Amino acid sequence: MPLVDASKVCGLIKRGDIGGGLELLRTAFAHLPQNAISLLNTLFLVEIADALGRDGKAAEGLSVIDEVLARCERSEEHWCVAELLRIKGELILRKGAPHAATAAEEHFLRSVDLARRHHALSWEAADIHKPCTLAARSRSDRRGTQPAAVGV
């Protein structure tokens, strides 16, 4: 599957055809040559992890993200760690374990900090609203009300 098709599959997943898109994405990843550049492997794995979370398989998605984070640490490829931390925070929220909001917030804050240090403004913008949203959710949970809409 060419990269152009893979990007279409990722769009398919984000529009709601998660099962079909995930199957196509896994097939594309399986056909990457062993010597494919690490960037391609990372991009496919990140999309697979995100799709697993959207498909109700957050624990499996977290396993994939942890694998990618470990690989990035070993190979000193830090270009995408801010995004990986953001997605890990999203997966933690989707998993819904006790204290998920607190754990997710820690990942979002680390992601924002890392994005700032690397001057990755687009990643920072994607992450910056997450702690605010979580804080609003936490306040509303304590009051028994609905959180106000919080945006960037």
Side-chain angles (χ1 to χ4, degrees):
M1 173 181 292
L3 273 182
V4 175
D5 292 340
S7 68
K8 288 179 183 177
V9 170
C10 293
L12 190 71
I13 290 168
K14 290 185 184 347
R15 286 190 303 276
D17 185 4
I18 299 167
L22 185 55
E23 184 179 327
L24 290 171
L25 196 55
R26 282 181 165 160
T27 299
F29 180 72
H31 286 91
L32 278 178
Q34 291 287 55
N35 63 351
I37 57 175
S38 181
L39 170 68
L40 290 177
N41 287 325
T42 300
L43 293 174
F44 274 104
L45 287 171
V46 167
E47 291 299 331
I48 288 170
D50 185 53
L52 285 166
R54 291 170 187 263
D55 200 29
K57 299 172 185 163
E60 193 176 340
L62 281 166
S63 177
V64 172
I65 284 295
D66 286 339
E67 174 189 327
V68 176
L69 280 164
R71 183 186 316 152
C72 287
E73 185 64 32
R74 283 191 308 273
S75 64
E76 297 184 11
E77 293 180 63
H78 301 288
W79 62 270
C80 63
V81 173
E83 177 67 357
L84 294 173
L85 291 171
R86 183 193 68 77
I87 291 172
K88 185 169 182 174
E90 293 283 346
L91 290 167
I92 289 169
L93 284 176
R94 286 192 172 119
K95 187 174 177 189
H99 309 292
T102 302
E105 183 176 28
E106 290 174 15
H107 285 84
F108 294 141
L109 291 172
R110 285 179 50 208
S111 177
V112 169
D113 180 58
L114 192 57
R116 283 184 179 152
R117 284 190 280 137
H118 291 139
H119 306 288
L121 300 179
S122 62
W123 281 347
E124 179 184 347
D127 287 339
I128 199 81
H129 74 284
K130 294 297 181 187
C132 299
T133 303
L134 291 170
R137 183 181 303 159
S138 177
R139 284 191 305 275
S140 70
D141 287 348
R142 285 193 302 270
R143 290 191 307 250
T145 61
Q146 290 295 322
V150 177
V152 180

